Amino acid sequence: MTHARVALVTGAARGQGWAIVERLRADGFAVAACDIDEAELAAALQSRAGRVDDAVIGLPLDVTSPPQWQAAVAATVARFGALTALINNAGILHRAAIAEETPGGFESAWRVNCLGPFLGIQAALAQLRAAEGAAIVNTCSTGAIRPFPQHAAYGSSKWALRGLTQTVAAELAPTGIRVNAVFPGPIATPMLDDTTQQRLAAVAATGRLGRPGEVADAVSFLVSDAASFITGAELVVDGGQCLQIR
Ligand SMILES: NC(=O)c1ccc[n+]([C@@H]2O[C@H](COP(=O)([O-])OP(=O)(O)OC[C@H]3O[C@@H](n4cnc5c(N)ncnc54)[C@H](O)[C@@H]3O)[C@@H](O)[C@H]2O)c1
């Protein structure tokens, strides 16, 4: 069946990715929920099994794999007839002191957090070009606005993703494909262990962490017609974290 609005979301099995799946579906998108962790993705999909809905599918996708990207885009288009929005949400957090960081640790953060979105944009480009009102949203981090110590790999990969977003936004503007980024602050997801969540909540400007749905709300806006003249934007969703000078 052909749908007018079709989104592919990476890192969709949990956390912000799953919240984005639920939000975009509620907005009327058909959604391909993609993740490297097939078991967790299946469990997430199972959680909505009570609802009659054939417009959400789960697909295996390691965002660092070009052939898997080709397969995921092809499966999405085969099922829904189009691909109109790409949400590059998948990411891995990797912390190490600069003296302790390894080439492998550094490279793996870059591969998932920056190479992955690049590969996704390439794989989806032909479909997005063919779509009306196509949009890409990349998930950066406040770590790409402020430097967090002991985050050389993660932070630099997100700074690179910020630059990729701007570059691709400029290049694709004449095609009508809008390219924007969200910059989450501390969000309560499994990416942050309990100790980290408590530490960050204790110093948060608003006294709490963000909810995954609050990032999904920003993504929902950026892919919607309400953002039809917005490209290259950097939407910070951090409860004021960047306002705090330390
Ligand atoms: N949680 C935060 O505080 C926070 C803050 C700023 C930015 N972010 C960013 O938000 C995004 C979502 O993070 P989250 O908090 O929901 O994290 P999470 O760890 O809960 O979820 C990340 C998901 O990405 C998937 N994933 C990991 N590697 C992958 C790969 N190679 N291919 C496909 N999927 C892969 C995981 O399986 C997981 O389902 C990430 O890009 C993260 O860097 C998170």
Side-chain angles (χ1 to χ4, degrees):
M1 181 183 173
T2 298
H3 290 256
R5 295 190 295 166
V6 181
L8 188 158
V9 182
T10 70
R14 68 186 197 196
Q16 295 171 55
W18 182 248
I20 293 166
V21 170
E22 292 279 30
R23 177 59 202 258
L24 295 187
R25 182 69 199 108
D27 289 348
F29 279 83
V31 183
C34 303
D35 207 286
I36 193 172
D37 187 334
E38 294 183 52
E40 191 146 21
L41 182 59
L45 290 163
Q46 186 62 31
S47 74
R48 63 195 322 282
R51 287 172 270 176
V52 178
D53 186 358
D54 60 0
V56 177
I57 56 170
L59 297 172
L61 172 62
D62 175 350
V63 297
T64 69
S65 164
Q68 289 189 32
W69 266 113
Q70 296 299 333
V73 169
T76 302
V77 174
R79 177 64 178 265
F80 298 132
L83 176 57
T84 69
L86 171 65
I87 316 302
N88 283 312
N89 162 81
I92 54 171
L93 176 60
H94 177 73
R95 291 189 194 90
I98 190 68
E100 312 295 334
E101 185 57 276
T102 64
F106 192 88
E107 189 174 332
S108 68
W110 272 70
R111 287 181 65 78
V112 177
N113 297 344
C114 190
L115 180 72
F118 158 72
L119 293 173
I121 292 166
Q122 272 201 335
L125 193 53
Q127 292 297 326
L128 296 175
R129 280 186 194 278
E132 280 289 315
I136 298 168
V137 177
N138 295 329
T139 301
C140 293
S141 166
T142 49
I145 293 175
R146 296 285 188 271
F148 298 148
Q150 304 185 335
H151 284 69
Y154 182 81
S156 62
S157 71
K158 292 292 190 177
W159 277 93
L161 180 58
R162 181 182 184 182
L164 179 70
T165 307
Q166 294 280 298
T167 305
V168 178
E171 184 172 331
L172 296 184
T175 72
I177 302 171
R178 299 181 299 100
V179 187
N180 294 293
V182 290
F183 290 67
I187 309 296
T189 75
M191 179 171 276
L192 304 178
D193 61 33
D194 288 347
T195 306
T196 303
Q197 291 198 19
Q198 285 165 17
R199 176 173 58 78
L200 292 172
V203 298
T206 49
R208 68 170 177 89
L209 302 184
R211 295 182 289 272
E214 292 176 309
V215 179
D217 288 342
V219 172
S220 165
F221 166 66
L222 287 171
V223 300
S224 76
D225 288 344
S228 56
F229 202 51
I230 297 178
T231 193
E234 302 187 326
L235 185 44
V236 178
V237 187
D238 73 342
Q241 183 187 41
C242 287
L243 300 175
Q244 296 174 304
I245 299 171
R246 300 192 181 285

